Amino acid sequence: MLRESMSIPCSHAILFMHGGGTGQFSAIPLNFMETKGRTTAEHGVETRTADYVVTGLWSSKAAQEAKKFGHINMVCPVPEKFTYVPEPATWAPSIDASYLYYCANETIHGVEFPEVPTPPTPHAPLVADISSNFLSRPMDVSKLGLAFAGAQKNAGCAGLTIVIVQRELLGRCDPRCPVVLDYGIVEKHSSVYNTPPVWSLFVFNQVLKWIQETGGLPAMEAMNKAKSKRIFDAIDQSGGFYSSAVEDKWRSRMNIPFRVGGPNGSQELETAFLTGAEARGMVGLKGHRSMGGIRASLYNAVTEDEVFLLSSYMEEFMSANR
Ligand code: PMP
């Protein structure tokens, strides 16, 4: 059902794994980084290289983990504040990279790639963390060497990690890689080399049925466009009472961090905003602890009516507090 919903070509295998997105931060370098003989001070003569694009906390964590296994080349400067993506046409991929990694949606900073990027040549396979925009819109996975997502955002509950991987990239795994993270072994055993997270798989199957019955990914996309537009309109039409730091082009449809009472936020107003939201049954709106402020996460399970409640509350709160 997933293959059909996402139009995943036969060239790509679908794996069901454990370990969440964080497990993939290690699995990717362990499976893909090949020795290509670059000399670096850190890793000596024989080293492995991978390209990373860091656009927020999650890609930063992925790059940090990959550093344990080889040399990491940043293909573009890391933005000081994670409010945009440096244009893919300006990236500088390295010649000896085994893959180029990016995070399709930065859950904490609300920065999303509207499509699979096209970096300048030479092309190493693209690897995408799609944990927080998986199944929220159509995505051309045929352009990706690998995509992974934890199930807990748009695909059910935690415990299951979905990996979509180009078959021709299998079989180059570091022999020291733990067996549960070895894509080749998981693929060869149809994702049952060890006991899979069966409950999370059951829930995932139910979610896929619901997506198909609702009109598939084009319907999810239409819904998510409308939902995010409603919140961004409330922000943009507030005359600065609410503010979002993310550049328009890179605004996420899934996670919208914003401040109340000016670009740096007013603690008093933000606390009052959250208290009022909770009184109206809206929970989980507090921004990530590293960011502060407010964050509206509009995953597939959040309905248009619920988003309408939030945008109406935003208007009401602004009228009472501006
Ligand atoms: N990548 C992204 C984009 C995420 O949002 C998260 C978790 N919120 C992770 C990776 C890490 O996933 P996990 O908690 O499943 O290890």
Side-chain angles (χ1 to χ4, degrees), residues 19-23 25 58 103 105-107 129 131-132 148 150 152-153:
T22 308
F25 296 168
W58 290 111
C103 177
N105 183 63
E106 289 283 358
T107 319
D129 175 356
S131 294
S132 52
F148 70 90
Q152 65 267 33
K153 309 289 196 301

Side-chain angles (χ1 to χ4, degrees), residues 50-64:
D51 284 341
Y52 276 72
V53 182
V54 169
T55 51
L57 188 80
W58 290 111
S59 48
S60 169
K61 285 195 170 191
Q64 201 57 38

Side-chain angles (χ1 to χ4, degrees), residues 111-191:
V111 172
E112 181 173 16
F113 283 76
E115 58 202 25
V116 175
T118 308
T121 46
H123 287 293
L126 282 176
V127 168
D129 175 356
I130 58 168
S131 294
S132 52
N133 61 358
F134 182 46
L135 301 176
S136 70
R137 59 200 298 163
M139 191 180 284
D140 188 357
V141 283
S142 71
K143 289 188 179 161
L144 297 169
L146 181 140
F148 70 90
Q152 65 267 33
K153 309 289 196 301
N154 276 333
C157 56
L160 169 67
T161 314
I162 296 104
V163 175
I164 302 162
V165 58
Q166 203 177 349
R167 293 181 203 278
E168 69 178 37
L169 298 177
L170 300 177
R172 52 182 80 174
C173 191
D174 184 323
R176 290 165 302 175
C177 177
V179 72
V180 289
L181 296 182
D182 184 325
Y183 299 138
I185 291 192
V186 176
E187 196 269 339
K188 195 165 145 218
H189 292 86
S190 308
S191 299

